[in-house]
Amino acid sequence: MIIGSVQVREATQPQRDSHYRPTFSKDSPVVLPPRWLSIAQLLDMALQPVVNIHTGRCLGYEALVRGTDAAGFDDIAAFLDACAADGVLMEMEVLLADKAMRKLGGLPHTRDIKLFLNVDGRTLAHVVRFDKALHAVMQANGVGESSVILEISERHQIYATSEGRDAIAALRRMCGKIAVDDFGAGYSGLPLLYFAQPEYIKIDRFFIEDIGGDSRKKLFLSHMVNVAHLLGILVVAEGVETEKEYYICKDIGIDLVQGWLVQRPTLEPERLLPVYPQVQDLAAQDRRTAAGDQKLIAQWIEAIQPLVYGVDMTAVFDRFRQDKTSTFFPVVDEHHEPLGIIRELDLKDYTYSLYGKELMSNKAFGRKLRDFVWKCPVADINTKAETILEVFSAAKDESEGIIIVDDNKYVGFLSARSLLRVISEKNLALARDQNPLTKLPGNNLINEYLGRALAEAEAAYTIAYIDFDNFKPFNDKYGFRQGDRAITLFADIMRSDLPKQDVFIGHVGGDDFFAAFRNFEFADAETRVRAAIERFRLDVESFYDEEARHRGYIVAKNREGAVRQMPLLSASAAIVRIPAGHAPSSIDDISTLIAQLKKEAKQAPEKLASAQVGAA
């Protein structure tokens, strides 16, 4: 059968939903030809949860079309193309939205739940009719505007024309919140992010899959998250299937997750939950989270009472008059989720403009609160203080501070002054445990990190203990100042050559160093350690006099006091692999193993020795 220009197979044994009738009336602008209504009766809507990465609480469910194969289409894209070719795409999307709302309406926990609805870019050519029809369906199903998030499809370049950008603005007026789907794929890039100004971006599965072994994906993802948070946008990771992917997303700063790890799309709404225990458990097991940051941030949050979206502008002006010390107020929706801030400066600019005061007093033509909402950076209270500072620093010329949320709900505002106090207090605490020479974490922080690593059975770690060879003769001959230079040289090499993400480096003391790699392939971690000690061997030669470099040794006393030809400085590394699912171990057990490996490493040609602790 040919529908438009698309080849469609005959449906096999169609089982039509003969009881389904769309909720819109005969007077609705939505009219489907009988053939397409018959096809629609073969379709169903699956729902998949989108949950908070820190708490497992469900923000909402994405509606996904199912049954296109039974209707004779190769895939969903072919189905949508056929709808567009026959001029029924907008009508079909409204009908599918109706099906999704009906299914969601049967849940007992839908009060604060969002429904993510996908909108094909081609539908925006009929945005006025789409607006009218969708609102009719929402009203018939008792679904409020704040409960719907429209996802803009990535398949079509909708922002290229002024009409397309106007249509995106119309979408925002329809429901208040927009998500950019599959960000980073197709046309869902920075231009769409710029024009759509969404509340959410959903990162394409490409950047999530196998991210544990791909440092470039981590780099791309971390920058996308930082840009989004700078613009006040929450980030959803799509297609999260493994615990490893979950933990990396959490470390990078992702706000919400969606994927098989949480729950597969289901046609049975009774299987959907308000909170997902498996995500709660993963977050609870993640003992690497710096609880101290959360306490510091909570201590300095300003609990500014927000304005609720939709309040009359008279109440807004009254609020500023009553609180003359405030130059802005946060704005939240009816679910207490932040939308941005309203600034006194913007109100003054408009009010003092020509006819501004008259327009403001005219309820029919005057601007509303939504017209003055200014996007503001947002951060979860569980975010590391340094990450919050990084986001704020990029926006400091335009931002009053950062809105802090917990479980996607507004909890307060962190001003620039308060943020600097958080960082200052954290730095003071860190300074007490830093090595004074290299400024790297010292013994206490190393032991704390190692303790958390040993307790985190679901993650794999590679730890390296590195110390210098022939350091005492060098120090005796050239003096403590040159010895300190050699120590700081190796510290600088570790800082510059080892990755920042999922790597911890420390200075045990003297010429002993520590490095740990979380969820790295063992061979990758070992290669990086080998490269660091080789670079040190080459660079430290410049600290010797020309004659010693030429000979390849110095004449000095060894540890026993005997005069010997002592080789030039180098470093050895004892490397221990702690696999995921490892058996319980103590720090003392690891220390004993490292001491044994250190002796082997100093005798090995490559100056490396490695071992693995037992799996559970």
Side-chain angles (χ1 to χ4, degrees):
M1 181 193 311
I2 300 292
I3 298 179
S5 59
V6 180
Q7 179 70 39
V8 181
R9 301 190 309 273
E10 290 289 336
T12 58
Q13 297 181 343
Q15 298 178 359
R16 298 180 180 177
D17 180 6
S18 59
H19 300 290
Y20 175 75
R21 294 292 183 273
T23 56
F24 37 84
S25 68
K26 293 180 180 179
D27 298 328
S28 168
V30 173
V31 178
L32 273 177
R35 177 178 58 181
W36 280 103
L37 186 57
S38 297
I39 290 174
Q41 289 171 339
L42 297 173
L43 305 178
D44 201 351
M45 300 301 288
L47 299 176
Q48 186 177 32
V50 178
V51 306
N52 185 287
I53 199 168
H54 301 288
T55 66
R57 184 170 298 279
C58 184
L59 170 71
Y61 304 104
E62 180 179 358
L64 301 165
V65 183
R66 293 293 183 265
T68 53
D69 53 344
F73 299 92
D74 290 333
D75 52 33
I76 293 175
F79 165 70
L80 294 174
D81 289 343
C83 289
D86 264 18
V88 297
L89 179 58
M90 185 277 292
E91 291 82 357
M92 183 62 73
E93 290 206 310
V94 173
L95 188 146
L96 294 175
D98 177 46
K99 284 177 175 277
M101 291 177 194
R102 287 189 177 201
K103 184 159 287 191
L104 189 68
L107 294 176
H109 58 270
T110 57
R111 180 180 176 185
D112 291 333
I113 293 295
K114 313 290 186 186
L115 180 62
F116 288 79
L117 291 176
N118 289 281
V119 179
D120 190 286
R122 292 167 290 190
T123 294
L124 299 188
H126 314 284
V127 70
V128 175
R129 289 198 298 128
F130 180 62
D131 183 2
K132 182 178 179 181
L134 186 62
H135 270 97
V137 168
M138 291 166 62
Q139 185 176 8
N141 285 285
V143 176
E145 291 183 358
S146 63
S147 297
V148 175
I149 297 171
L150 298 180
E151 292 192 26
I152 302 174
S153 169
E154 83 289 355
R155 295 183 63 223
H156 304 282
Q157 192 171 356
I158 58 179
Y159 58 81
T161 64
S162 59
E163 291 81 3
R165 294 192 285 273
D166 290 343
I168 292 175
L171 280 186
R172 179 173 302 285
R173 291 192 294 271
M174 290 169 59
C175 65
K177 291 191 175 181
I178 289 176
V180 171
D181 195 17
D182 295 332
F183 185 74
Y187 292 107
S188 290
L190 294 178
L192 181 56
L193 183 68
Y194 177 84
F195 287 115
Q197 300 181 45
E199 280 67 37
Y200 303 90
I201 60 171
K202 303 182 79 174
I203 303 294
D204 186 69
R205 165 71 182 157
F206 168 81
F207 292 101
I208 308 300
E209 186 177 13
D210 298 327
I211 192 173
D214 194 327
S215 58
R216 288 193 299 170
K217 282 187 178 181
K218 289 182 185 178
L219 182 63
F220 271 102
L221 185 58
S222 62
H223 282 297
M224 285 191 284
V225 170
N226 285 343
V227 169
H229 287 166
L230 170 63
L231 297 172
I233 299 169
L234 297 179
V235 183
V236 183
E238 290 186 305
V240 176
E241 297 181 358
T242 67
E243 293 183 4
K244 188 173 185 178
E245 291 170 352
Y246 164 85
Y247 281 117
I248 291 174
C249 288
K250 187 170 182 289
D251 283 345
I252 288 175
I254 296 284
D255 303 290
L256 301 142
V257 289
Q258 176 182 0
W260 289 3
L261 179 68
V262 182
Q263 186 176 21
R264 297 192 179 205
T266 178
L267 297 171
E268 305 168 30
E270 62 273 12
R271 297 181 60 189
L272 298 169
L273 303 174
V275 180
Y276 283 82
Q278 63 269 41
V279 178
Q280 285 184 315
D281 292 343
L282 289 174
Q285 293 168 14
D286 187 12
R287 301 180 184 179
R288 294 167 295 107
T289 301
D293 280 16
Q294 186 177 0
K295 292 178 181 178
L296 276 175
I297 292 168
Q299 179 183 344
W300 289 105
I301 285 176
E302 300 174 53
I304 303 174
Q305 185 67 28
L307 293 166
V308 179
Y309 190 73
V311 70
D312 188 85
M313 286 303 298
T314 303
V316 176
F317 280 101
D318 287 343
R319 181 74 184 278
F320 277 107
R321 275 195 294 268
Q322 293 167 8
D323 190 349
K324 299 185 184 301
T325 61
S326 295
T327 58
F328 69 93
F329 291 108
V331 179
V332 300
D333 65 13
E334 61 187 83
H335 303 295
H336 216 61
E337 296 173 4
L339 300 175
I341 62 173
I342 182 169
R343 305 187 301 183
E344 185 181 32
L345 177 63
D346 296 329
L347 291 179
K348 286 181 177 179
D349 287 345
Y350 181 74
T351 305
Y352 295 155
S353 65
L354 186 63
Y355 307 122
K357 188 174 182 180
E358 289 79 3
L359 285 172
M360 191 67 76
S361 61
N362 189 316
K363 292 187 177 181
F365 297 99
R367 295 176 70 179
K368 311 297 183 186
L369 175 59
R370 65 170 178 262
D371 299 315
F372 294 99
V373 173
W374 181 271
K375 284 284 189 179
C376 179
V378 177
D380 192 280
I381 196 169
N382 297 288
T383 306
K384 294 177 182 177
E386 291 84 0
T387 302
I388 296 178
L389 179 62
E390 184 178 346
V391 171
F392 175 76
S393 298
K396 63 183 179 181
D397 293 335
E398 298 182 350
S399 177
E400 303 284 347
I402 292 184
I403 290 175
I404 301 298
V405 298
D406 189 6
D407 211 5
N408 303 322
K409 307 294 185 184
Y410 169 82
V411 294
F413 197 84
L414 197 63
S415 67
R417 183 178 179 182
S418 297
L419 178 57
L420 291 176
R421 286 180 175 177
V422 169
I423 297 297
S424 176
E425 289 192 18
K426 183 174 182 180
N427 286 340
L428 285 173
L430 288 174
R432 289 193 291 268
D433 287 317
Q434 280 181 344
N435 184 281
L437 176 61
T438 61
K439 301 298 187 291
L440 289 177
N443 256 327
N444 288 339
L445 293 176
I446 291 172
N447 286 330
E448 286 179 11
Y449 180 92
L450 190 53
R452 292 194 299 269
L454 293 173
E456 189 187 8
E458 66 277 3
Y461 283 86
T462 300
I463 62 173
Y465 191 103
I466 305 144
D467 70 337
F468 294 173
D469 301 322
N470 309 307
F471 180 67
K472 185 179 184 303
F474 171 83
N475 211 35
D476 291 344
K477 182 173 180 63
Y478 292 100
F480 289 107
R481 186 172 181 180
Q482 282 292 82
D484 287 349
R485 285 187 62 204
I487 290 170
T488 55
L489 169 66
F490 190 74
D492 291 341
I493 289 173
M494 292 180 72
R495 284 193 185 95
S496 63
D497 290 11
L498 298 184
K500 305 295 186 295
Q501 187 72 36
D502 291 331
V503 174
F504 175 89
I505 58 175
H507 187 179
V508 178
D511 59 334
D512 295 347
F513 290 85
F514 177 90
F517 303 78
R518 184 178 183 274
N519 284 332
F520 275 66
E521 294 295 332
F522 179 74
D524 183 21
E526 187 179 60
T527 298
R528 293 176 186 274
V529 172
R530 181 185 290 109
I533 62 178
E534 176 61 15
R535 180 181 169 186
F536 173 73
R537 184 186 69 80
L538 296 174
D539 289 357
V540 81
E541 285 186 3
S542 64
F543 291 9
Y544 288 87
D545 57 73
E546 186 176 352
E547 183 181 354
R549 290 198 300 271
H550 179 72
R551 291 196 310 256
Y553 65 86
I554 60 173
V555 177
K557 292 181 180 180
N558 62 14
R559 290 186 178 275
E560 289 73 34
V563 177
R564 294 285 188 270
Q565 293 181 359
M566 305 300 298
L568 304 187
L569 265 177
S570 60
S572 301
I575 304 177
V576 177
R577 184 186 182 203
I578 307 174
H582 57 268
S585 301
S586 68
I587 294 178
D588 289 340
D589 294 335
I590 300 298
S591 298
T592 301
L593 179 57
I594 286 174
Q596 176 186 336
L597 292 173
K598 281 174 59 179
K599 295 178 182 178
E600 296 177 15
K602 289 185 179 296
Q603 303 301 320
E606 290 190 323
K607 298 294 185 179
L608 289 175
S610 62
Q612 174 178 306
V613 300

